[in-house]
Amino acid sequence: MPTSPNSARSWTGRLQPTRTTDGRQIMPLTSSSRRALGALAAVLTLGLLTGCAEAAEPTIDTAAASTADPKPSQEAPEPSDGASAPAKSDDGDDVEDEGQAGSSAAGTASAMLDELDVKGRAPKTGYDGDLFKWRSDTDHNGCDTRNDVLRRDLKDITLKAGTQGCIVLAGTIADPYKGETYDFDRNANTVDIDHVVARSNAWQTGAAKFDEETLKEFGNDPLNLLAVSSSLNRQKGDGDAATWLPPNKSYRCEYVARQIAVKHKYDLWVVKPEKAAMKRVLGDCEDEPAFTEDVDWPGPGEGDNVTTKSDPGPKKSSGTDSSTSGSTGSGAGSGSGSSNDGSKRSSSGSGAGSGSTPFENCTAAREAGAAPVHRGDPGYGPHLDRDGDGIACE
């Protein structure tokens, strides 16, 4: 069978040289040669790929690595108590875990804490402690709130005669903040009534929106009031759990549980550091029950081992108007706290010490560092002494 002159294979089946256009002859490859060249190309390709992969590995400078902080070869051990370490914010503060509500045992202070909102502290704009009408006779038992607290919290009580069982002259206090027991003498004024959740703190965590009656209820709520050391009450100021806790460590769990109960009752919130401090305290008493103790006031004349006697009162300085020295004739009288008796009397009226001008109100007396003001002292005025015992702005 005839073929063209450039055919690579003749009709006989043998390979014949092919001729290029320029007249050169090229011998075609056999099939075995083509297979050998294909295998060689595969080997070369694999070698190139392997070389590229090795070149991608980072070069380690062993000298530089030796001065850097070593990375642990395994995970850090868990804390010994099995609890995971708290996360930290950028500034190093503990970050509260979100979504933890309901994780505490029901009926505990911790569970009640989980129910409180966490927000930032609101401004103190418009705050005035007098808005809470502290010492009002909110239960209408004829006695002011301070004396209600004293009759509830003190033992071996001596009441002032002629006050319908209201005014406490003396007693013994087991101070929960100090963890000590000592005598109370009204004239020495060693005992204050503390708002467990301070009025200022309440104002900045929701109370600024309270109406007048709710403010008054909060300011005189037996749940939120305790008879304690004057010095410690003033040391606490308006601090929350993050800034102040009772020196008596054995009382801290109950103290925090009581703060939580107050905030829960009045739908107040906590700020993040406050909640963190509360959780730390309750971490030592995880089963601390939610505070539900009976905190109602005793009735007039009631209390522990009550006796009654007349009160000689503090010594009077010259110039004191004797017309203010007796307040027993009308029973509870101005001592009830429920009346505004004397609140609008002339500032030059009787009772001011040595002819001095009385303070306009107790806030002014406290800001001047003069409270409590005794009858006969500069700045004393009957409008400041609502229970008529000769000691104003207690």
Side-chain angles (χ1 to χ4, degrees), residues 287-310:
D287 296 329
E288 179 72 24
F291 194 89
T292 56
E293 182 181 324
D294 181 9
V295 290
D296 290 338
W297 303 134
E302 296 179 356
D304 178 77
N305 194 24
V306 176
T307 58
T308 303
K309 72 175 186 178
S310 298

Side-chain angles (χ1 to χ4, degrees), residues 308-323:
T308 303
K309 72 175 186 178
S310 298
D311 177 26
K315 294 181 179 180
K316 304 181 183 64
S317 62
S318 60
T320 300
D321 189 333
S322 61
S323 65

Side-chain angles (χ1 to χ4, degrees), residues 332-353:
S334 61
S336 69
S338 60
S339 147
N340 291 322
D341 179 49
S343 62
K344 294 185 179 181
R345 294 179 188 176
S346 167
S347 63
S348 61
S350 63

Side-chain angles (χ1 to χ4, degrees), residues 23-46:
R24 290 181 299 165
Q25 290 184 343
I26 300 176
M27 197 69 167
L29 294 173
T30 64
S31 60
S32 59
S33 296
R34 287 195 297 270
R35 287 194 297 271
L37 287 173
L40 178 61
V43 171
L44 292 173
T45 301
L46 180 62

Side-chain angles (χ1 to χ4, degrees), residues 184-214:
F184 162 75
D185 183 329
R186 186 176 191 85
N187 294 326
N189 196 39
T190 55
V191 170
D192 277 358
I193 309 302
D194 179 41
H195 286 81
V196 179
V197 174
R199 287 167 287 179
S200 174
N201 176 272
W203 185 266
Q204 296 176 86
T205 56
K209 297 181 179 179
F210 288 176
D211 59 28
E212 185 177 345
E213 283 304 311
T214 307

Side-chain angles (χ1 to χ4, degrees), residues 102-325:
S103 61
S104 302
T108 63
S110 293
M112 186 177 284
L113 175 60
D114 288 339
E115 296 176 12
L116 299 181
D117 290 336
V118 180
K119 301 181 184 180
R121 194 181 306 278
K124 201 173 177 179
T125 307
Y127 171 74
D128 184 344
D130 290 343
L131 292 171
F132 292 84
K133 293 181 169 58
W134 154 238
R135 293 190 68 162
S136 297
D137 181 18
T138 53
D139 62 352
H140 308 293
N141 68 356
C143 303
D144 74 310
T145 306
R146 174 178 167 82
N147 284 289
D148 282 340
V149 181
L150 293 174
R151 291 199 320 280
R152 183 196 66 185
D153 292 355
L154 270 58
K155 305 294 183 183
D156 299 322
I157 297 169
T158 300
L159 297 176
K160 183 178 180 179
T163 62
Q164 295 184 353
C166 285
I167 297 178
V168 179
L169 294 177
T172 301
I173 179 173
D175 190 330
Y177 289 2
K178 269 190 171 184
E180 300 175 5
T181 299
Y182 52 90
D183 292 334
F184 162 75
D185 183 329
R186 186 176 191 85
N187 294 326
N189 196 39
T190 55
V191 170
D192 277 358
I193 309 302
D194 179 41
H195 286 81
V196 179
V197 174
R199 287 167 287 179
S200 174
N201 176 272
W203 185 266
Q204 296 176 86
T205 56
K209 297 181 179 179
F210 288 176
D211 59 28
E212 185 177 345
E213 283 304 311
T214 307
L215 287 170
K216 183 177 179 180
E217 178 188 351
F218 181 92
N220 296 275
D221 191 335
L223 174 65
N224 194 34
L225 297 171
L226 285 176
V228 298
S229 157
S230 296
S231 59
L232 290 180
N233 181 50
R234 294 162 196 180
Q235 179 191 93
K236 170 186 172 181
D238 60 0
D240 60 21
T243 59
W244 191 89
L245 290 169
N248 179 18
K249 293 183 179 180
S250 65
Y251 185 69
R252 288 180 177 179
C253 287
E254 183 177 328
Y255 174 77
V256 165
R258 192 162 187 153
Q259 284 190 322
I260 293 168
V262 172
K263 293 213 162 190
H264 190 272
K265 177 178 179 178
Y266 288 93
D267 198 24
L268 302 174
W269 68 78
V270 289
V271 298
K272 182 177 284 188
E274 179 184 15
K275 181 174 183 178
M278 288 174 163
K279 288 176 73 71
R280 283 195 297 270
V281 170
L282 294 176
D284 294 331
C285 46
E286 294 179 356
D287 296 329
E288 179 72 24
F291 194 89
T292 56
E293 182 181 324
D294 181 9
V295 290
D296 290 338
W297 303 134
E302 296 179 356
D304 178 77
N305 194 24
V306 176
T307 58
T308 303
K309 72 175 186 178
S310 298
D311 177 26
K315 294 181 179 180
K316 304 181 183 64
S317 62
S318 60
T320 300
D321 189 333
S322 61
S323 65
T324 63
S325 62

Side-chain angles (χ1 to χ4, degrees), residues 47-98:
L48 288 171
L49 292 174
T50 303
C52 291
E54 291 175 351
E57 291 293 325
T59 301
I60 299 176
D61 184 346
T62 55
S66 66
T67 61
D69 291 335
K71 293 183 178 180
S73 58
Q74 60 183 12
E75 293 184 0
E78 293 292 324
S80 59
D81 61 359
S84 59
K88 298 286 184 180
S89 65
D90 291 339
D91 57 5
D93 291 333
D94 289 351
V95 176
E96 293 294 329
D97 293 334
E98 298 296 335

